[in-house]
Amino acid sequence: MKDERVEEDRAYMRRAIELADRGWGRVHPNPLVGAVVVRDGVVVGEGYHAEYGGPHAEVVALEQAGEAARGATVYVTLEPCTHQGKTPPCTLALRRAGIARLVYGAEDTNPKARGGAEQLRQAGIAVHGGVEREAVRAQNAMFFHAVERGSTYVALKFGLTLDARIAEMPGWGGAVTGPESHAEVHRLRAGFDAILVGIGTALADDPQLTVRGAVVPRTPPRRIVLDAAARLPLDSKLARTAADVPVWLFCAEDASAERRAALQRAGLRILTVPRGPAGLELEPVLDRLWTEGIRSVLCEGGAQLGASLLAADRVQRLYLFLAPRLFGERGVLAFPGRFPPQVADGWEYARAVPCGRDLLAVLDRRRSEDVPYGHGRPVPPDAAQSGGRGRGVSGAD
């Protein structure tokens, strides 16, 4: 009987995780949250956090359940909040609904909102946590990284061939992957605060880096270019559309004042950081992004920028769109150079899904104690975080 209850809990939690995904692109910097209300083995309510500032998943599911919620079990992917922000605390709604049992996936580690499970226990509700915890944390990796590590979450995306090439030759701007992969890239972009490329990719592909897919982001991601010499052409798509969606250009402190002024007049925001041995120093760039409120970045190339981020151990997730093609030795390698041991052997598969003829492999940095990862700093309890829950492929194109 106990094993049956465990499997039942996991099944309903997986449904809640599935529901949570529907908030992608609309709720960040809040986490994705889904909820299911079950009474006598029957689902009587479902909900998810659909919009930043809107009702939380538990409230939506309870409203759908109505009186059937009394004496029911509620499954929610994230521990219910205790904080009065844009909406009342979910713990209050759960108590008022008269539920008998709460099952949650992952603990809310935001200091301003955690502790909901204990409050509900003290109110006489049976509480069980940690069901599908890793899946929930993976789904909300950006949220947990910001809250727990106090630094910008970086994901690296490549469209590449079976022999790990991202272009047929240097300067080639063709498509490696198919239309289904391109559509998925646009969906991914919708859930990030910023899209990042190096000047090499900007010159080779002349990308727009906007979201042009089924998911319309709540806030269009900033488009960021690392360009030490401020070489971005004024007639590039990025410069010509800077008034529509913000473009930030990081350049070296010694970049041409004339070029910087021209790009500023075109509507770009120019930020300067120290020059490093192979371009710009990455740490000042990422630190500046954090202070500017950018909590998540999707890096879309090129190879040198991706390799530099990996070598600095600043990449938390890889989105690899694998095309069934081979470019051979003339092709541009996706991962040039050498990497520290913890980066070279520090990954685990999160999922692999077909994208037309291509395959999307998602890998996360291993989180075991013996494999340190990423950059972080202590986060004081009262730090301004990226909203804690509800409070508050080919070349790039």
Side-chain angles (χ1 to χ4, degrees):
M1 183 66 71
K2 184 177 180 180
D3 289 343
E4 289 180 9
R5 167 60 69 89
V6 169
E7 286 307 311
E8 182 180 81
D9 285 350
R10 293 184 63 194
Y12 286 127
M13 188 61 68
R14 287 193 291 268
R15 173 57 181 166
I17 291 170
E18 182 182 326
L19 290 167
D21 263 333
R22 298 180 185 180
W24 179 261
R26 302 300 307 174
V27 302
H28 68 293
N30 288 352
L32 299 165
V33 183
V36 177
V37 184
V38 179
R39 182 171 176 177
D40 299 326
V42 177
V43 174
V44 294
E46 291 186 335
Y48 65 96
H49 186 31
E51 195 75 25
Y52 179 80
H56 292 179
E58 301 96 312
V59 173
V60 175
L62 289 171
E63 287 180 351
Q64 188 180 106
E67 280 302 309
R70 191 161 299 279
T73 296
V74 172
Y75 296 86
V76 60
T77 56
L78 190 65
E79 178 185 11
C81 64
T82 60
H83 178 65
Q84 173 69 53
K86 292 183 180 294
T87 62
C90 291
T91 48
L92 179 60
L94 291 163
R95 292 201 307 270
R96 286 176 173 173
I99 71 168
R101 182 171 180 255
L102 173 82
V103 180
Y104 68 89
E107 295 76 12
D108 190 339
T109 55
N110 185 333
K112 291 184 178 181
R114 64 191 178 194
E118 185 56 33
Q119 279 193 13
L120 294 173
R121 282 193 189 96
Q122 291 177 5
I125 296 171
V127 177
H128 180 54
V131 177
E132 299 289 345
R133 177 188 286 115
E134 289 306 311
V136 173
R137 286 186 61 88
Q139 184 180 52
N140 287 294
M142 290 181 279
F143 168 79
F144 285 111
H145 184 87
V147 169
E148 297 169 2
R149 302 188 68 81
S151 65
T152 298
Y153 180 93
V154 179
L156 176 60
K157 165 253 159 182
F158 277 133
L160 69 168
T161 61
L162 298 177
D163 52 350
R165 313 286 168 161
I166 61 172
E168 192 169 9
M169 64 187 70
W172 182 78
V176 175
T177 53
E180 294 86 356
S181 291
H182 298 173
E184 177 61 12
V185 168
H186 282 283
R187 190 194 71 83
L188 286 175
R189 286 177 180 175
F192 283 82
D193 290 336
I195 312 300
L196 172 68
V197 297
I199 185 59
T201 295
L203 294 175
D205 295 348
D206 190 21
Q208 297 182 64
L209 303 181
T210 52
V211 180
R212 305 184 302 279
V215 178
V216 178
R218 182 179 67 85
T219 303
R222 271 74 168 170
R223 299 174 292 168
I224 300 174
V225 184
L226 301 193
D227 180 8
R231 292 186 292 150
L232 185 72
L234 293 174
D235 62 352
S236 65
K237 291 175 183 175
L238 286 167
R240 287 190 284 109
T241 61
D244 303 322
V245 179
V247 179
W248 296 0
L249 185 141
F250 282 87
C251 63
E253 295 158 333
D254 60 357
S256 162
E258 182 179 350
R259 285 293 305 161
R260 282 189 277 173
L263 289 166
Q264 277 185 314
R265 287 194 296 271
L268 283 77
R269 184 180 180 190
I270 308 300
L271 304 101
T272 59
V273 293
R275 186 187 289 273
L280 297 175
E281 290 282 359
L282 288 177
E283 290 301 333
V285 170
L286 294 172
D287 286 346
R288 183 64 182 273
L289 291 178
W290 175 259
T291 61
E292 293 283 348
I294 302 298
R295 298 298 182 247
S296 60
V297 169
L298 178 63
C299 177
E300 298 197 22
Q304 293 298 330
L305 175 56
S308 296
L309 287 165
L310 285 165
D313 201 2
R314 291 305 302 267
V315 177
Q316 284 78 49
R317 174 168 288 176
L318 294 171
Y319 291 105
L320 303 180
F321 291 85
L322 300 168
R325 308 173 67 182
L326 297 167
F327 281 168
E329 7 180 90
R330 284 202 309 167
V332 178
L333 274 174
F335 306 106
R338 296 183 177 181
F339 307 107
Q342 73 270 21
V343 173
D345 191 29
W347 301 92
E348 57 190 4
Y349 282 102
R351 64 182 185 276
V353 293
C355 280
R357 293 181 65 230
D358 307 324
L359 178 72
L360 168 59
V362 182
L363 298 94
D364 285 330
R365 284 292 273 113
R366 272 214 317 266
R367 293 180 296 275
S368 60
E369 293 181 3
D370 59 327
V371 182
Y373 73 103
H375 173 81
R377 55 180 67 81
V379 184
D382 59 347
Q385 292 300 332
S386 55
R389 172 152 101 108
R391 309 18 157 174
V393 209
S394 62
D397 181 47

